Amino acid sequence: MNHLGEVGKTRHLVLHDYGMGGLWWWVWAESAEEIVLACAEVEVVTAPEAVERAETWALEEVHLDAPDPNPLSGLRAQREAQRGQPGFGVLAGRDRVYLRCQEDGDEAVYLMEFGPDGRRLRQVEVGPDGGAVKTTEEDWPFNPPFDLYDPQYASLEIDSTDFEDAWHRARPESQG
């Protein structure tokens, strides 16, 4: 039983990181996995120094199963809409994920390697002329996580050898 008298629920530090900033909450749930399965685009932060730092903030406490509306309502609705789609969750839980992405209107193609937390580790940008530039997480001022449960990413998956081949052919960004 926790200090609120609820059996089985514990408080988790949860972040919705949108790149230029983030929204933080304490979320009461049975597990961290229950939170990411119920809410899109969130991560449960477990690093002891981050949790200790957050203890000093005046964060809102939210119960995962609280009735709508609440701060998690939109993220829960987004996850529920994803749940029945082909590819939901197929990339989650892997040590490495490789994707090939192209933004609408952008001529460049991006080959990206992600860690299990959905953050980019390495990236190759292939320009329209075929020239390729490689970058790592040290090169990016922002690196919000990709939600690997999101089914939109399943069709973008590539084999690790395709990524590694492109990585070895690409030049470092500093040689621009």
Side-chain angles (χ1 to χ4, degrees):
M1 190 174 305
N2 62 44
H3 78 273
L4 290 181
E6 295 185 34
V7 176
K9 289 189 178 184
T10 55
R11 189 174 78 158
H12 302 270
L13 181 60
V14 174
L15 168 62
H16 169 63
D17 183 342
Y18 50 83
M20 297 288 286
L23 300 172
W24 297 82
W25 306 278
W26 292 112
V27 176
W28 288 91
E30 290 184 17
S31 68
E33 181 181 27
E34 180 187 31
I35 296 168
V36 297
L37 285 171
C39 299
E41 299 182 4
V42 300
E43 65 181 304
V44 177
V45 178
T46 58
E49 64 278 359
V51 172
E52 185 177 322
R53 190 171 53 249
E55 291 282 358
T56 67
W57 305 341
L59 296 179
E60 185 171 358
E61 295 199 17
V62 182
H63 287 262
L64 183 61
D65 56 2
D68 294 329
N70 67 64
L72 302 176
S73 295
L75 301 170
R76 287 191 330 203
Q78 184 178 343
R79 177 64 88 223
E80 193 56 39
Q82 295 169 347
R83 195 173 309 287
Q85 296 177 25
F88 174 75
V90 300
L91 302 176
R94 296 187 188 176
D95 185 50
R96 292 288 184 269
V97 172
Y98 300 90
L99 302 180
R100 179 186 190 277
C101 300
Q102 186 171 16
E103 297 288 326
D104 289 339
D106 192 351
E107 293 183 0
V109 173
Y110 298 90
L111 307 179
M112 297 178 279
E113 175 188 48
F114 297 90
D117 62 356
R119 284 191 164 71
R120 289 176 300 162
L121 301 173
R122 299 183 294 166
Q123 175 175 286
V124 177
E125 178 182 351
V126 182
D129 64 353
V133 175
K134 60 184 172 182
T135 55
T136 66
E137 55 192 328
E138 286 103 30
D139 299 313
W140 311 311
F142 305 107
N143 192 10
F146 279 54
D147 182 354
L148 297 178
Y149 283 91
D150 191 332
Q152 74 172 318
Y153 299 124
S155 66
L156 305 176
E157 186 177 20
I158 60 173
D159 190 81
S160 64
T161 57
D162 293 336
F163 177 86
E164 293 298 341
D165 289 346
W167 179 260
H168 292 297
R169 287 191 313 269
R171 65 175 169 73
E173 184 175 49
S174 60
Q175 293 180 358

